[in-house]
PDB file of all heavy atoms in Angstrom:
ATOM      1  N   MET A  48       6.799  -7.695  18.590  1.00 97.00           N
ATOM      2  CA  MET A  48       5.728  -7.119  17.754  1.00 97.00           C
ATOM      3  C   MET A  48       6.189  -5.927  16.937  1.00 97.00           C
ATOM      4  O   MET A  48       5.389  -5.051  16.605  1.00 97.00           O
ATOM      5  CB  MET A  48       4.481  -6.829  18.595  1.00 97.00           C
ATOM      6  CG  MET A  48       3.873  -8.103  19.169  1.00 97.00           C
ATOM      7  SD  MET A  48       2.432  -7.878  20.226  1.00 97.00           S
ATOM      8  CE  MET A  48       1.235  -7.298  19.075  1.00 97.00           C
ATOM      9  N   ARG A  51       3.865  -7.827  13.249  1.00 98.00           N
ATOM     10  CA  ARG A  51       2.796  -8.565  13.904  1.00 98.00           C
ATOM     11  C   ARG A  51       1.643  -8.751  12.931  1.00 98.00           C
ATOM     12  O   ARG A  51       1.668  -8.230  11.835  1.00 98.00           O
ATOM     13  CB  ARG A  51       2.330  -7.859  15.176  1.00 98.00           C
ATOM     14  CG  ARG A  51       2.416  -6.331  15.177  1.00 98.00           C
ATOM     15  CD  ARG A  51       1.257  -5.505  14.775  1.00 98.00           C
ATOM     16  NE  ARG A  51      -0.035  -6.096  14.722  1.00 98.00           N
ATOM     17  CZ  ARG A  51      -0.849  -5.937  13.683  1.00 98.00           C
ATOM     18  NH1 ARG A  51      -0.456  -5.265  12.638  1.00 98.00           N
ATOM     19  NH2 ARG A  51      -2.046  -6.462  13.680  1.00 98.00           N
ATOM     20  N   GLY A  52       0.716  -9.590  13.313  1.00 97.00           N
ATOM     21  CA  GLY A  52      -0.362  -9.940  12.375  1.00 97.00           C
ATOM     22  C   GLY A  52      -0.061 -11.315  11.801  1.00 97.00           C
ATOM     23  O   GLY A  52       1.057 -11.565  11.335  1.00 97.00           O
ATOM     24  N   ALA A  53      -1.039 -12.206  11.822  1.00 97.00           N
ATOM     25  CA  ALA A  53      -0.783 -13.606  11.483  1.00 97.00           C
ATOM     26  C   ALA A  53      -0.050 -13.807  10.148  1.00 97.00           C
ATOM     27  O   ALA A  53       1.026 -14.411  10.105  1.00 97.00           O
ATOM     28  CB  ALA A  53      -2.113 -14.365  11.503  1.00 97.00           C
ATOM     29  N   PRO A  54      -0.584 -13.290   9.019  1.00 97.00           N
ATOM     30  CA  PRO A  54       0.154 -13.550   7.772  1.00 97.00           C
ATOM     31  C   PRO A  54       1.554 -12.948   7.754  1.00 97.00           C
ATOM     32  O   PRO A  54       2.504 -13.538   7.233  1.00 97.00           O
ATOM     33  CB  PRO A  54      -0.736 -12.909   6.703  1.00 97.00           C
ATOM     34  CG  PRO A  54      -2.090 -12.896   7.301  1.00 97.00           C
ATOM     35  CD  PRO A  54      -1.861 -12.630   8.762  1.00 97.00           C
ATOM     36  N   ILE A  56       3.602 -12.438  10.344  1.00 98.00           N
ATOM     37  CA  ILE A  56       4.591 -13.183  11.128  1.00 98.00           C
ATOM     38  C   ILE A  56       4.905 -14.524  10.459  1.00 98.00           C
ATOM     39  O   ILE A  56       5.982 -15.063  10.648  1.00 98.00           O
ATOM     40  CB  ILE A  56       4.205 -13.332  12.607  1.00 98.00           C
ATOM     41  CG1 ILE A  56       2.977 -14.137  12.846  1.00 98.00           C
ATOM     42  CG2 ILE A  56       4.100 -11.980  13.260  1.00 98.00           C
ATOM     43  CD1 ILE A  56       2.641 -14.293  14.353  1.00 98.00           C
ATOM     44  N   ARG A  88       5.750 -16.756  19.139  1.00 96.00           N
ATOM     45  CA  ARG A  88       4.343 -16.436  19.421  1.00 96.00           C
ATOM     46  C   ARG A  88       3.500 -17.654  19.086  1.00 96.00           C
ATOM     47  O   ARG A  88       3.585 -18.180  17.979  1.00 96.00           O
ATOM     48  CB  ARG A  88       3.875 -15.212  18.617  1.00 96.00           C
ATOM     49  CG  ARG A  88       4.604 -13.932  18.996  1.00 96.00           C
ATOM     50  CD  ARG A  88       3.921 -12.698  18.402  1.00 96.00           C
ATOM     51  NE  ARG A  88       2.648 -12.417  19.090  1.00 96.00           N
ATOM     52  CZ  ARG A  88       1.736 -11.548  18.625  1.00 96.00           C
ATOM     53  NH1 ARG A  88       1.935 -10.933  17.478  1.00 96.00           N
ATOM     54  NH2 ARG A  88       0.625 -11.335  19.298  1.00 96.00           N
ATOM     55  N   HIS A 160     -11.957  -4.694  14.453  1.00 98.00           N
ATOM     56  CA  HIS A 160     -11.282  -4.827  15.753  1.00 98.00           C
ATOM     57  C   HIS A 160      -9.805  -5.084  15.511  1.00 98.00           C
ATOM     58  O   HIS A 160      -9.435  -5.808  14.602  1.00 98.00           O
ATOM     59  CB  HIS A 160     -11.892  -6.000  16.529  1.00 98.00           C
ATOM     60  CG  HIS A 160     -11.465  -6.100  17.962  1.00 98.00           C
ATOM     61  ND1 HIS A 160     -11.840  -5.183  18.922  1.00 98.00           N
ATOM     62  CD2 HIS A 160     -10.696  -7.029  18.585  1.00 98.00           C
ATOM     63  CE1 HIS A 160     -11.307  -5.544  20.088  1.00 98.00           C
ATOM     64  NE2 HIS A 160     -10.618  -6.650  19.922  1.00 98.00           N
ATOM     65  N   CYS A 161      -8.975  -4.455  16.302  1.00 98.00           N
ATOM     66  CA  CYS A 161      -7.521  -4.599  16.203  1.00 98.00           C
ATOM     67  C   CYS A 161      -7.014  -4.072  14.856  1.00 98.00           C
ATOM     68  O   CYS A 161      -7.607  -3.158  14.270  1.00 98.00           O
ATOM     69  CB  CYS A 161      -7.110  -6.052  16.425  1.00 98.00           C
ATOM     70  SG  CYS A 161      -5.352  -6.223  16.795  1.00 98.00           S
ATOM     71  N   ASN A 162      -5.908  -4.636  14.379  1.00 98.00           N
ATOM     72  CA  ASN A 162      -5.422  -4.257  13.043  1.00 98.00           C
ATOM     73  C   ASN A 162      -5.279  -5.520  12.222  1.00 98.00           C
ATOM     74  O   ASN A 162      -4.434  -6.374  12.527  1.00 98.00           O
ATOM     75  CB  ASN A 162      -4.086  -3.532  13.110  1.00 98.00           C
ATOM     76  CG  ASN A 162      -3.512  -3.300  11.715  1.00 98.00           C
ATOM     77  OD1 ASN A 162      -2.593  -3.998  11.310  1.00 98.00           O
ATOM     78  ND2 ASN A 162      -4.079  -2.358  10.974  1.00 98.00           N
ATOM     79  N   ALA A 163      -6.158  -5.622  11.239  1.00 98.00           N
ATOM     80  CA  ALA A 163      -6.054  -6.704  10.254  1.00 98.00           C
ATOM     81  C   ALA A 163      -5.953  -6.037   8.887  1.00 98.00           C
ATOM     82  O   ALA A 163      -6.637  -6.402   7.935  1.00 98.00           O
ATOM     83  CB  ALA A 163      -7.262  -7.635  10.340  1.00 98.00           C
ATOM     84  N   GLY A 164      -5.102  -5.012   8.850  1.00 98.00           N
ATOM     85  CA  GLY A 164      -4.877  -4.266   7.622  1.00 98.00           C
ATOM     86  C   GLY A 164      -3.605  -4.712   6.937  1.00 98.00           C
ATOM     87  O   GLY A 164      -3.046  -5.777   7.259  1.00 98.00           O
ATOM     88  N   ALA A 167      -0.733  -5.968   8.914  1.00 98.00           N
ATOM     89  CA  ALA A 167      -0.785  -7.301   9.533  1.00 98.00           C
ATOM     90  C   ALA A 167      -0.458  -8.405   8.532  1.00 98.00           C
ATOM     91  O   ALA A 167      -0.472  -9.587   8.874  1.00 98.00           O
ATOM     92  CB  ALA A 167      -2.168  -7.541  10.129  1.00 98.00           C
ATOM     93  N   THR A 168      -0.218  -7.991   7.301  1.00 98.00           N
ATOM     94  CA  THR A 168       0.051  -8.964   6.223  1.00 98.00           C
ATOM     95  C   THR A 168       1.248  -8.422   5.433  1.00 98.00           C
ATOM     96  O   THR A 168       1.890  -7.467   5.862  1.00 98.00           O
ATOM     97  CB  THR A 168      -1.176  -9.086   5.295  1.00 98.00           C
ATOM     98  OG1 THR A 168      -1.338  -7.852   4.588  1.00 98.00           O
ATOM     99  CG2 THR A 168      -2.450  -9.359   6.099  1.00 98.00           C
ATOM    100  N   GLY A 172      -3.864  -6.515   3.475  1.00 98.00           N
ATOM    101  CA  GLY A 172      -4.564  -6.855   4.713  1.00 98.00           C
ATOM    102  C   GLY A 172      -5.626  -7.927   4.498  1.00 98.00           C
ATOM    103  O   GLY A 172      -5.832  -8.423   3.386  1.00 98.00           O
ATOM    104  N   THR A 173      -6.306  -8.274   5.589  1.00 98.00           N
ATOM    105  CA  THR A 173      -7.409  -9.226   5.449  1.00 98.00           C
ATOM    106  C   THR A 173      -8.732  -8.500   5.725  1.00 98.00           C
ATOM    107  O   THR A 173      -9.457  -8.190   4.793  1.00 98.00           O
ATOM    108  CB  THR A 173      -7.228 -10.411   6.435  1.00 98.00           C
ATOM    109  OG1 THR A 173      -7.121  -9.886   7.759  1.00 98.00           O
ATOM    110  CG2 THR A 173      -5.992 -11.215   6.088  1.00 98.00           C
ATOM    111  N   ALA A 174      -9.012  -8.118   6.966  1.00 98.00           N
ATOM    112  CA  ALA A 174     -10.293  -7.442   7.259  1.00 98.00           C
ATOM    113  C   ALA A 174     -10.384  -6.085   6.563  1.00 98.00           C
ATOM    114  O   ALA A 174     -11.469  -5.644   6.177  1.00 98.00           O
ATOM    115  CB  ALA A 174     -10.457  -7.259   8.766  1.00 98.00           C
ATOM    116  N   GLN A 200      -3.780  -1.635  18.809  1.00 98.00           N
ATOM    117  CA  GLN A 200      -3.466  -1.769  17.379  1.00 98.00           C
ATOM    118  C   GLN A 200      -4.497  -1.033  16.509  1.00 98.00           C
ATOM    119  O   GLN A 200      -4.193  -0.558  15.435  1.00 98.00           O
ATOM    120  CB  GLN A 200      -3.436  -3.244  16.946  1.00 98.00           C
ATOM    121  CG  GLN A 200      -2.263  -4.051  17.435  1.00 98.00           C
ATOM    122  CD  GLN A 200      -2.570  -4.836  18.694  1.00 98.00           C
ATOM    123  OE1 GLN A 200      -3.273  -4.329  19.564  1.00 98.00           O
ATOM    124  NE2 GLN A 200      -2.042  -6.034  18.835  1.00 98.00           N
ATOM    125  N   VAL A 238     -13.579  -8.686  10.903  1.00 98.00           N
ATOM    126  CA  VAL A 238     -12.373  -8.792  11.722  1.00 98.00           C
ATOM    127  C   VAL A 238     -11.378  -9.736  11.046  1.00 98.00           C
ATOM    128  O   VAL A 238     -11.693 -10.376  10.044  1.00 98.00           O
ATOM    129  CB  VAL A 238     -12.708  -9.313  13.137  1.00 98.00           C
ATOM    130  CG1 VAL A 238     -13.689  -8.370  13.833  1.00 98.00           C
ATOM    131  CG2 VAL A 238     -13.263 -10.741  13.071  1.00 98.00           C
ATOM    132  N   GLY A 239     -10.177  -9.797  11.595  1.00 98.00           N
ATOM    133  CA  GLY A 239      -9.181 -10.735  11.076  1.00 98.00           C
ATOM    134  C   GLY A 239      -9.243 -12.040  11.846  1.00 98.00           C
ATOM    135  O   GLY A 239     -10.198 -12.312  12.565  1.00 98.00           O
ATOM    136  N   SER A 240      -8.213 -12.843  11.669  1.00 98.00           N
ATOM    137  CA  SER A 240      -8.113 -14.108  12.390  1.00 98.00           C
ATOM    138  C   SER A 240      -6.646 -14.468  12.539  1.00 98.00           C
ATOM    139  O   SER A 240      -5.844 -14.199  11.638  1.00 98.00           O
ATOM    140  CB  SER A 240      -8.841 -15.229  11.628  1.00 98.00           C
ATOM    141  OG  SER A 240      -8.642 -16.477  12.289  1.00 98.00           O
ATOM    142  N   ASP A 241      -6.336 -15.051  13.645  1.00 98.00           N
ATOM    143  CA  ASP A 241      -4.967 -15.556  13.845  1.00 98.00           C
ATOM    144  C   ASP A 241      -4.921 -17.063  13.685  1.00 98.00           C
ATOM    145  O   ASP A 241      -3.857 -17.627  13.424  1.00 98.00           O
ATOM    146  CB  ASP A 241      -4.467 -15.158  15.239  1.00 98.00           C
ATOM    147  CG  ASP A 241      -4.279 -13.660  15.307  1.00 98.00           C
ATOM    148  OD1 ASP A 241      -5.269 -12.947  15.567  1.00 98.00           O
ATOM    149  OD2 ASP A 241      -3.155 -13.192  15.047  1.00 98.00           O
ATOM    150  N   ASN A 251      -8.972 -14.684  17.414  1.00 98.00           N
ATOM    151  CA  ASN A 251      -8.530 -13.354  17.004  1.00 98.00           C
ATOM    152  C   ASN A 251      -8.228 -12.524  18.243  1.00 98.00           C
ATOM    153  O   ASN A 251      -8.378 -12.989  19.380  1.00 98.00           O
ATOM    154  CB  ASN A 251      -9.617 -12.699  16.142  1.00 98.00           C
ATOM    155  CG  ASN A 251      -9.095 -11.499  15.370  1.00 98.00           C
ATOM    156  OD1 ASN A 251      -8.082 -11.558  14.688  1.00 98.00           O
ATOM    157  ND2 ASN A 251      -9.779 -10.378  15.513  1.00 98.00           N
ATOM    158  N   LYS A 252      -7.814 -11.277  18.028  1.00 98.00           N
ATOM    159  CA  LYS A 252      -7.428 -10.410  19.137  1.00 98.00           C
ATOM    160  C   LYS A 252      -8.478 -10.369  20.242  1.00 98.00           C
ATOM    161  O   LYS A 252      -9.684 -10.346  19.963  1.00 98.00           O
ATOM    162  CB  LYS A 252      -7.208  -8.990  18.594  1.00 98.00           C
ATOM    163  CG  LYS A 252      -6.688  -7.981  19.584  1.00 98.00           C
ATOM    164  CD  LYS A 252      -5.456  -8.422  20.339  1.00 98.00           C
ATOM    165  CE  LYS A 252      -4.363  -8.827  19.407  1.00 98.00           C
ATOM    166  NZ  LYS A 252      -3.262  -9.577  20.014  1.00 98.00           N
ATOM    167  N   ALA A 272     -12.168 -12.319   8.047  1.00 98.00           N
ATOM    168  CA  ALA A 272     -11.445 -12.380   6.773  1.00 98.00           C
ATOM    169  C   ALA A 272     -10.101 -13.049   7.023  1.00 98.00           C
ATOM    170  O   ALA A 272      -9.379 -12.658   7.948  1.00 98.00           O
ATOM    171  CB  ALA A 272     -11.231 -10.968   6.216  1.00 98.00           C
ATOM    172  N   GLU A 292      -1.985 -16.865  23.673  1.00 97.00           N
ATOM    173  CA  GLU A 292      -0.770 -16.182  24.147  1.00 97.00           C
ATOM    174  C   GLU A 292      -1.104 -15.268  25.321  1.00 97.00           C
ATOM    175  O   GLU A 292      -2.037 -14.465  25.237  1.00 97.00           O
ATOM    176  CB  GLU A 292      -0.172 -15.354  23.007  1.00 97.00           C
ATOM    177  CG  GLU A 292       1.062 -14.564  23.364  1.00 97.00           C
ATOM    178  CD  GLU A 292       1.556 -13.682  22.209  1.00 97.00           C
ATOM    179  OE1 GLU A 292       0.831 -13.536  21.211  1.00 97.00           O
ATOM    180  OE2 GLU A 292       2.683 -13.161  22.320  1.00 97.00           O
ATOM    181  N   ALA A 327      -3.951 -12.407  25.081  1.00 98.00           N
ATOM    182  CA  ALA A 327      -3.867 -11.583  23.869  1.00 98.00           C
ATOM    183  C   ALA A 327      -4.913 -11.946  22.811  1.00 98.00           C
ATOM    184  O   ALA A 327      -5.108 -11.188  21.863  1.00 98.00           O
ATOM    185  CB  ALA A 327      -2.468 -11.685  23.256  1.00 98.00           C
ATOM    186  N   PHE A 328      -5.578 -13.089  22.984  1.00 98.00           N
ATOM    187  CA  PHE A 328      -6.545 -13.544  21.973  1.00 98.00           C
ATOM    188  C   PHE A 328      -7.748 -14.181  22.654  1.00 98.00           C
ATOM    189  O   PHE A 328      -7.687 -14.556  23.828  1.00 98.00           O
ATOM    190  CB  PHE A 328      -5.876 -14.566  21.030  1.00 98.00           C
ATOM    191  CG  PHE A 328      -4.703 -14.011  20.262  1.00 98.00           C
ATOM    192  CD1 PHE A 328      -3.406 -14.184  20.736  1.00 98.00           C
ATOM    193  CD2 PHE A 328      -4.890 -13.297  19.092  1.00 98.00           C
ATOM    194  CE1 PHE A 328      -2.319 -13.655  20.050  1.00 98.00           C
ATOM    195  CE2 PHE A 328      -3.814 -12.773  18.394  1.00 98.00           C
ATOM    196  CZ  PHE A 328      -2.525 -12.952  18.881  1.00 98.00           C
TER     197      PHE A 328
HETATM  198  C1  LIG B 412      -4.560 -10.510   9.581  1.00 83.71           C
HETATM  199  S1  LIG B 412      -4.055 -11.154  11.080  1.00 83.71           S
HETATM  200  C2  LIG B 412      -4.383  -9.796  12.095  1.00 83.71           C
HETATM  201  C3  LIG B 412      -4.578 -10.219  13.512  1.00 83.71           C
HETATM  202  O1  LIG B 412      -3.328 -10.211  14.202  1.00 83.71           O
HETATM  203  C4  LIG B 412      -3.471  -9.403  15.331  1.00 83.71           C
HETATM  204  O2  LIG B 412      -2.796  -9.890  16.424  1.00 83.71           O
HETATM  205  P1  LIG B 412      -1.360  -9.243  16.821  1.00 83.71           P
HETATM  206  O3  LIG B 412      -1.447  -7.773  16.556  1.00 83.71           O
HETATM  207  O4  LIG B 412      -1.215  -9.608  18.272  1.00 83.71           O
HETATM  208  O5  LIG B 412      -0.348  -9.949  15.932  1.00 83.71           O
HETATM  209  C5  LIG B 412      -4.956  -9.363  15.598  1.00 83.71           C
HETATM  210  O6  LIG B 412      -5.419 -10.540  16.201  1.00 83.71           O
HETATM  211  C6  LIG B 412      -5.460  -9.236  14.198  1.00 83.71           C
HETATM  212  O7  LIG B 412      -6.795  -9.481  14.013  1.00 83.71           O
END
Side-chain angles (χ1 to χ4, degrees):
M48 296 178 67
R51 32 93 16 228
I56 64 179
R88 296 192 72 192
H160 190 69
C161 197
N162 173 256
T168 68
T173 56
Q200 288 96 322
V238 301
S240 175
D241 292 84
N251 196 51
K252 185 51 55 195
E292 178 184 11
F328 299 95

